[in-house]
């Protein structure tokens, strides 16, 4: 943690919080939900020590970055504006972007719209925009008729999910982080019937500490989401159809910047959300694919579960 600087700025109409360390070429680390900048805690210092300027922002509506209540403010153009605004604020023309989940999709959108501002992409777990003739919320609603589906739960009754999660942030975050790890098969959550709440659908967990998460580390997330609530994060899901429509004009094209991919063998996204054999399709979506690495014995929480291997692989790609 030594060397972290917490900074705040007004960017694209938001009050943005980000953590910065180091000097040199810029590397921007983008998180998904329900994460914050803190999910990159194991990577920030080593990458900075290797000669880079590292910035890990709280994304729109999450952590200590503000976010509108209207989900329509979480569509592609707003998020791309957040990232170009961040680069402008930092006084940088371009950066290497790495991300996971919504953070990585934001980096992909930036690479399509402003490739001149992306020095390279290092993708974690989510390999590309998966083409689909059906919108993501339509698909989620169809699945939710048969079993629990977290995306449909988030969007079906606006306000209800927000209240459920805000009433028990520690329980929700603990259960979800465990369910997404290699210690559990996340798709077992789908065995729960329609109408189940997310917290009830998630598994019970062993007591903390786990090999990759302590009680204190969990408390960083609990504190931030207890203060902000979950609406900002859920709005990213509620805007999924809008973003799907927005991407129709370019989502089937290839990115043109140098692209590197790190996945884990027990990741639920690679298992369930990107079609069959997604790694074989990377070249269909990225025109300058440089390297692919898969980590063993890790789930979706790879930055924490296999922190040293993830960091070492990122440093290898950055070099």
């Amino acid at each position: 943690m030594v060397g972290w600087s917490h900074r705040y700025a007004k960017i694209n109409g938001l009050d943005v919080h980000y953590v910065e360390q180091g000097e040199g070429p810029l590397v921007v680390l983008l998180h998904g939900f329900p994460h914050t900048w803190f999910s990159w805690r194991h990577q920030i210092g080593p990458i900075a020590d290797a000669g880079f300027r590292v910035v890990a922002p709280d994304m729109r509506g999450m952590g200590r970055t503000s976010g509108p209540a209207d989900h329509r403010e979480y569509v592609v153009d707003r998020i791309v504006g957040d990232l170009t605004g961040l680069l402008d604020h930092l006084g940088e023309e371009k950066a290497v972007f790495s991300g996971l989940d919504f953070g990585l999709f934001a980096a992909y959108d930036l690479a399509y719209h402003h490739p001149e501002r992306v020095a390279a992409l290092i993708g974690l777990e989510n390999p590309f925009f998966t083409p689909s003739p059906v919108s993501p919320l339509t698909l989620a609603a169809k699945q939710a008729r048969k079993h629990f589906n977290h995306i449909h739960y988030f969007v079906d009754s606006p306000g209800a999910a927000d209240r459920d999660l805000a009433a028990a942030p520690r329980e929700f975050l603990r259960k979800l982080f465990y369910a997404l790890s290699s210690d559990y098969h996340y798709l077992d959550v789908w065995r729960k019937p329609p109408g189940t709440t997310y917290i009830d659908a998630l598994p019970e967990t062993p007591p903390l500490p786990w090999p990759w998460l302590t009680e204190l580390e969990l408390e960083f997330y609990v504190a931030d989401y207890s203060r902000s609530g979950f609406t900002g994060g859920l709005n990213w899901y509620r805007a999924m159809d809008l973003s799907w429509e927005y991407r129709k004009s370019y989502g089937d094209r290839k990115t043109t910047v140098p692209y590197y991919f790190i996945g884990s063998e027990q990741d639920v996204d690679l298992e369930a959300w990107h079609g069959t054999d997604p790694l074989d399709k990377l070249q269909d979506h990225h025109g300058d694919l440089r390297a692919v690495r898969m980590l063993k014995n890790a789930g979706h929480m790879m930055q924490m579960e296999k922190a040293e291997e993830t960091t070492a692989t990122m440093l290898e790609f950055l070099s």
Side-chain angles (χ1 to χ4, degrees):
M1 297 185 187
V2 176
W4 289 350
S5 295
H6 289 264
R7 306 195 189 282
Y8 297 84
K10 197 77 171 182
I11 298 173
N12 199 23
L14 303 176
D15 296 315
V16 174
H17 166 255
Y18 63 94
V19 168
E20 181 176 10
Q21 184 177 347
E23 298 180 354
L26 179 63
V27 177
V28 178
L29 307 176
L30 305 175
H31 68 82
F33 176 84
H35 296 264
T36 67
W37 71 272
F38 190 63
S39 290
W40 299 101
R41 61 191 176 277
H42 299 295
Q43 286 75 45
I44 295 172
I47 293 175
D49 291 343
F52 295 90
R53 181 187 185 186
V54 184
V55 169
D58 281 334
M59 301 295 281
R60 173 177 288 239
M62 292 184 273
R64 286 175 254 176
T65 291
S66 64
D70 188 342
H71 74 276
R72 291 170 294 183
E73 294 298 320
Y74 292 76
V75 77
V76 169
D77 59 338
R78 308 296 200 277
I79 307 303
V80 168
D82 293 348
L83 298 183
T84 57
L86 176 65
L87 289 174
D88 293 342
H89 169 76
L90 296 171
E92 300 277 3
E93 286 298 317
K94 63 174 61 179
V96 174
F97 284 85
S98 184
L100 180 75
D101 290 334
F102 285 126
L104 181 53
F105 294 137
Y108 289 159
D109 285 321
L110 180 65
Y112 281 111
H113 287 276
H114 298 287
E116 74 282 359
R117 308 212 70 173
V118 180
L121 290 168
I122 300 177
L124 274 61
E125 306 289 30
N126 303 95
F128 42 71
F129 296 131
T130 303
S132 173
V134 180
S135 77
L137 299 188
T138 299
L139 179 60
K142 180 180 179 180
Q143 293 174 339
R145 291 197 292 268
K146 301 177 182 179
H147 55 70
F148 173 81
N149 177 284
H150 71 286
I151 297 175
H152 185 69
Y153 168 76
F154 289 154
V155 304
D156 185 42
S157 301
D162 313 56
R163 291 190 296 271
D164 288 346
L165 304 187
R170 184 173 289 101
E171 180 182 11
F172 170 64
L173 292 164
R174 172 174 50 81
K175 285 184 170 183
L176 183 55
F177 285 1
Y178 176 78
L180 288 169
S181 76
S182 60
D183 295 319
Y184 185 81
H185 183 236
Y186 178 84
L187 293 185
D188 288 349
V189 171
W190 284 4
R191 295 181 178 181
K192 300 294 182 177
T196 307
T197 68
Y198 204 0
I199 290 176
D200 288 341
L202 291 167
E204 292 299 331
T205 74
L208 289 163
W210 307 331
W212 54 273
L213 187 71
T214 68
E215 189 79 51
L216 178 60
E217 288 172 325
L218 178 65
E219 199 63 29
F220 274 80
Y221 298 98
V222 174
D224 275 343
Y225 278 102
S226 294
R227 177 172 50 249
S228 68
F230 289 89
T231 299
L234 301 188
N235 277 342
W236 288 71
Y237 292 90
R238 293 163 181 160
M240 287 176 76
D241 274 8
L242 297 175
S243 293
W244 176 77
E245 289 283 354
Y246 199 100
R247 292 171 179 140
K248 282 184 176 180
S249 64
Y250 61 86
D252 59 349
R253 299 205 315 263
K254 295 182 181 183
T255 63
T256 58
V257 303
Y259 181 78
Y260 302 80
F261 182 75
I262 311 172
S264 57
E265 292 186 347
Q266 292 163 270
D267 174 53
V268 64
D269 279 17
L270 288 175
E271 178 184 4
W273 270 286
H274 295 291
T276 57
D277 302 320
L279 298 187
D280 292 338
K281 298 180 175 64
L282 281 169
Q283 289 184 317
D284 296 339
H285 299 270
H286 303 290
D288 191 6
L289 176 64
R290 301 291 182 92
V292 179
R293 190 71 48 80
M294 292 295 292
L295 305 186
K296 296 181 179 180
N297 302 315
H300 197 64
M301 311 294 284
M302 61 187 300
Q303 304 131 288
M304 294 174 262
E305 291 180 80
K306 293 294 180 181
E308 291 185 5
E309 290 180 47
T310 301
T311 303
T313 306
M314 294 179 72
L315 287 171
E316 176 187 339
F317 291 165
L318 286 166
S319 71

